[in-house]
Amino acid sequence: MSRFRLIYLACIGVSLMTGCGLFGDSDARKGTLAELPPATLPNAAKTVEVIEIDRIEASYRKALAVAEEPALRQQILLRLADLEMARSEREQEEATDLRRLYDRPIAMYRELIDYEASKPQPTQGVDIDQLRYKLAKAYALDGRNAEAAAVLDELAQNHPDSPLMSETQFRRAEKAFSDGDYTAAESHYRSVVAGDDDTFKQNALYMQGWSQFKRGDYDLALHAFAQVLDQLLASAKQPDQVSQAMADLGPARSNLVGDTLRVMGLSLSYLDGAASITDLQTEVGPKVYQHLLYEQLGQLYLEQKRFNDSAETYNHFVENNPNSDFAPDFSIKTIQTYEQGNFPSLILPAKQDFVRRYGITSRFWTERNGALSNTARAYLHESLQELAAYEHAEAQQLKANSQTLTDPREQQAASNQAVAAYASAALWYREFVQTFPQDPKAADMTFLLAESLYEAGDLAQALMSYEKVAYEYRSPIHGAEAAYSAVLLSQELIDQTQPNLGEVRQQWQQRKIDNSLRFAEVYPTDPRAVTVLAQAAPELLNQGDQVSAIAVAERVIAWQPQPDGQLLFSSWLVLGHSQFDLQQYPAAEQAYWQVLKLLPTYGQTPGAPSQQDVRERIAASIYQQAQASLTAGAKDDAITQLLRITEVTPDTDVAIKARYDAGTYLIEQERWVDAERVLLSFRQQYPNHELAASLPAKLVVVYQNQSKWQQAADELLVMERTSTDPDVKRQSLIMGAELYDKSGDRNRAIEQYTRYANNYPRPLAENLEAQHRLTELYADTGDGTRRQFWLQKIIDTNAAAGDARTDRSIFLAASAETELAQPAYDDFLRIPLNLPLKASLQRKRAALDKALKGQERILKYGVAEFTTQASFRIGEIYAQLSRDLMDSQRPNGLDELELEQYEILLEEQAYPFEEKSIEIHQANAQRSWKGTYDQWVKRSFDALAKLLPGRYNKQETRLEVSHEIH
């Protein structure tokens, strides 16, 4: 109730100052209660005059009696309610029994709340959230906790932005926690944590974690408690600063840290133990105090006699924090826990793990540059000797046992155990040598290391140890054998490496080559040296070191005494391949001839090339000589060499490519006749070869350059039918049509153009050009029906193109529309106006409508060339109709007066059409003002000269001007 007591004192202060201001000072009466300064607590050191609550209340009631302004009345009622609250609190302090003392302030606060809630605008100085807060306080002081909680709920729901919200939510959370409603408690505590008031935040965060813990949500609880520790231990930036940070907190807050760690330890034990610490670290980031969590959890398990869980907890810290300064201590704790729990089978592995983690090969050692304590170093020295001796003896015994077993599965199991023991022994031997390199037994330990590694199947490390014995120590007893073992072991490593690990295989291959060359150099008198050297030559070639491969191959060929033919065959083959790779093609060709000579006797081994393979290489050598001629610019010599391949090795694949390339280079040399001959011979000899598919394209070029349009078109037709590339098929079809057109084969050109126009609507430009050419071809053949079909097709295609239309497509459509409109225009001109005039005039008007529609369609395209023509013809249509009316056949039997009247009637009918014609011709003629002047604009001027001669048929007057100065 300390917070409520503080509010109570504040209320008393407000009452005192308000009373003095309202009734004691005339200046104060000029303002309102809302304008009074905020209440402050009196200084405890000063004496404050006690004013009777009854007197103050009487003053307020007098003020209430005369106050008419609603806002002022509310403010006074609020002061009265506060006074009743103060009176009830005083009575409660003096009461000797339990009874309800706050009914009056509760009723008054309720009345104020109801009134404020019913108003659209709040009263100045009367905050409804403050009223609800005071009402909740009154209920709470009266022991009516359920009603107090309900009011706090209303406050939270209706005033989320209230400055009292943080405390309100905290009180609600405490009530919910007390009632066992941990879900609601968590929600309310969380809102306090998320708020802006820091007064309750840390306690709320701590209690939020407890709420989550109480309802079994240990993951969330850990997050909350971690935030509490983040705040309390914020001064610690590194793990080694945590102890000092706790000491600086003082007893109370230090106890809070301890309590938090204990409840976090319980939460972790209810979850996945140490794994949950890792999960927490992953979710919230690394914490400087995380080692405390491991210690707390490990100690909890120890207290519960859960030794294995405790050891796993310590070990989990080491696994996840291997470079921590605390890691060695936790490793020791692990071993001590096993000892305390009496787990002898686990002690040895734990010691082994200790050496691995903190020995010379460990990251821990490296990062500290070997700066271990004397105790740790001594323990390490002792442990390495102990572990190496134990594991080696164990491995030898296991291997011996495995050889006495008859059951394959049991034998394999014992063998696997022996391998593992040898690997462990090798580990300790190596680490001993590395840690104590000046030890007198280092050389013997290295040899034992090599043996252990080999037995363990760690061939790479065994190889390194054998190399050290052979080439660093150069042991007179084991040197040559170690050197040869290094070669054999390198090959084993190559064989064991997966083919997809090409880079790794290449590294081992280079290692074998190096060892082979070193073996022949250091131990040349050994009878195995030349064989090892001969094996190195192809390996060097495979590594891409052709220069070294040539040197080694030549050395084997020159070796004395002469090696056997198999080694010579292999060396000549390496020599040829290496020289070929280095573009020494003449020398390579000669080496391959030597290979062919030895092949029947020594080329029957697996992996040896066949005679056909070697012949292909010879052909390739000649082919590359041709390529060198091309590079030098001697294309004719290159062509000669390419064709020579077909004579030397006609049965090779290279010969086929050589003939094809010869045809290509003949095209580049523009030797069209020779190119045609070579390419046609290729087609005849290799009709099914994959290169034959590209011959039509080349022959098109050859035929075009010889003006053989028909043959070129035929090749394009082949391309169009055989190609699977839609774009190639399309281009071949249109190019074929153009070449047939060019050759004069009109029928095949029409067939090709038609197929193109029907099958390839895109690109639009090429499609329309094909249609346009069809209209021209059908015009040449006199086939008007098909010509009109394609004219209409052009119009429809352009219309369907929409936004894809171009200036060219619109021009072609306008041109086609112009031609299609011509018959209707001609029909209109041909129809005379005869008697009976009504019937002939009806036919004339029908023809006029059709002719006008045709010309109007042309105008829609907006193409100047056709717009002026269409405008002229529309003008002429109206002019012609006017003339035809005036020239129409007169009825028989009219007297002079009737005839005159008939003439007048005709003029009245014809005049509007003549006016329309003048208007249209004038509009067409005015296009000249904007720069458009063609034959149709000129003809409109001519028509206007006849229709309006006074304006458009004036003769020009020429004035002669002399600039001569007299």
Side-chain angles (χ1 to χ4, degrees), residues 395-413:
Q396 291 173 333
Q397 184 63 48
L398 288 170
K399 183 178 180 180
N401 293 341
S402 68
Q403 295 173 350
T404 63
L405 298 173
T406 56
D407 184 274
R409 289 181 296 181
E410 292 180 357
Q411 188 179 47
Q412 184 62 48

Side-chain angles (χ1 to χ4, degrees), residues 328 354 358-360 364-365 368-377 380:
F354 181 86
Y358 312 113
I360 192 171
F364 194 90
W365 176 292
R368 290 159 176 77
N369 197 24
L372 293 180
S373 65
N374 293 333
T375 301
R377 183 177 291 272
L380 184 63

Side-chain angles (χ1 to χ4, degrees), residues 542-730:
N542 291 334
Q543 291 291 86
D545 189 355
Q546 291 87 353
V547 174
S548 298
I550 290 173
V552 172
E554 289 178 340
R555 184 178 174 189
V556 173
I557 292 170
W559 191 274
Q560 294 299 326
Q562 187 179 41
D564 63 33
Q566 188 66 49
L567 296 180
L568 290 174
F569 172 78
S570 172
S571 297
W572 277 115
L573 186 61
V574 169
L575 194 61
H577 288 338
S578 299
Q579 290 167 336
F580 186 92
D581 291 345
L582 294 175
Q583 301 180 9
Q584 300 171 8
Y585 302 117
E589 183 181 352
Q590 296 305 314
Y592 287 133
W593 283 118
Q594 291 295 325
V595 173
L596 278 178
K597 186 185 296 183
L598 295 170
L599 184 65
T601 304
Y602 302 104
Q604 307 307 314
T605 57
S610 65
Q611 285 194 358
Q612 184 62 28
D613 292 335
V614 178
R615 291 174 64 81
E616 289 284 354
R617 296 294 292 187
I618 292 172
S621 298
I622 301 173
Y623 183 87
Q624 292 299 331
Q625 294 176 56
Q627 294 300 309
S629 297
L630 287 172
T631 303
K635 281 192 177 180
D636 290 336
D637 291 342
I639 292 170
T640 301
Q641 290 169 333
L642 289 171
L643 294 176
R644 184 172 67 87
I645 294 174
T646 61
E647 299 174 3
V648 178
T649 55
D651 57 339
T652 61
D653 292 336
V654 178
I656 300 173
K657 189 175 187 304
R659 178 170 297 188
Y660 180 85
D661 289 350
T664 301
Y665 297 136
L666 286 168
I667 292 175
E668 294 179 2
Q669 292 293 90
E670 299 184 359
R671 293 166 57 180
W672 309 117
V673 175
D674 292 336
E676 180 181 354
R677 173 178 53 79
V678 171
L679 292 176
L680 289 177
S681 67
F682 185 96
R683 174 181 281 175
Q684 182 179 6
Q685 191 168 356
Y686 312 110
N688 298 322
H689 195 275
E690 60 181 1
L691 292 174
S694 63
L695 291 179
K698 295 182 178 295
L699 286 169
V700 167
V701 176
V702 172
Y703 286 136
Q704 282 184 306
N705 281 280
Q706 298 180 78
S707 299
K708 295 181 178 181
W709 313 120
Q710 182 79 32
Q711 291 92 325
D714 291 341
E715 294 297 333
L716 285 167
L717 183 60
V718 172
M719 292 176 63
E720 190 263 333
R721 290 176 179 172
T722 59
S723 176
T724 58
D725 188 334
D727 196 51
V728 172
K729 293 173 72 69
R730 180 185 64 79

Side-chain angles (χ1 to χ4, degrees), residues 797-840:
T797 300
N798 177 72
D803 294 339
R805 290 179 295 178
T806 64
D807 292 344
R808 177 62 177 168
S809 70
I810 295 171
F811 177 87
L812 291 176
S815 176
E817 198 78 70
T818 299
E819 187 164 349
L820 291 178
Q822 187 65 36
Y825 180 77
D826 294 339
D827 289 344
F828 168 77
L829 296 178
R830 283 195 296 268
I831 295 175
L833 292 180
N834 298 326
L835 294 177
L837 184 60
K838 183 176 180 180
S840 63

Side-chain angles (χ1 to χ4, degrees), residues 362-471:
S362 69
R363 181 179 177 183
F364 194 90
W365 176 292
T366 302
E367 291 183 349
R368 290 159 176 77
N369 197 24
L372 293 180
S373 65
N374 293 333
T375 301
R377 183 177 291 272
Y379 185 79
L380 184 63
H381 183 272
E382 179 183 353
S383 297
L384 283 172
Q385 296 181 72
E386 177 186 345
L387 292 172
Y390 174 84
E391 293 292 354
H392 202 159
E394 183 74 11
Q396 291 173 333
Q397 184 63 48
L398 288 170
K399 183 178 180 180
N401 293 341
S402 68
Q403 295 173 350
T404 63
L405 298 173
T406 56
D407 184 274
R409 289 181 296 181
E410 292 180 357
Q411 188 179 47
Q412 184 62 48
S415 178
N416 292 341
Q417 291 176 348
V419 168
Y422 275 118
S424 297
L427 175 67
W428 311 132
Y429 281 129
R430 180 191 293 111
E431 191 152 351
F432 183 89
V433 172
Q434 292 175 343
T435 307
F436 310 103
Q438 305 303 321
D439 193 278
K441 296 181 179 181
D444 293 339
M445 297 290 274
T446 302
F447 183 75
L448 292 173
L449 170 62
E451 285 191 329
S452 299
L453 288 169
Y454 184 80
E455 293 290 346
D458 192 348
L459 303 187
Q461 295 299 322
L463 173 62
M464 184 182 299
S465 297
Y466 279 126
E467 288 171 344
K468 192 170 184 179
V469 172
Y471 301 116

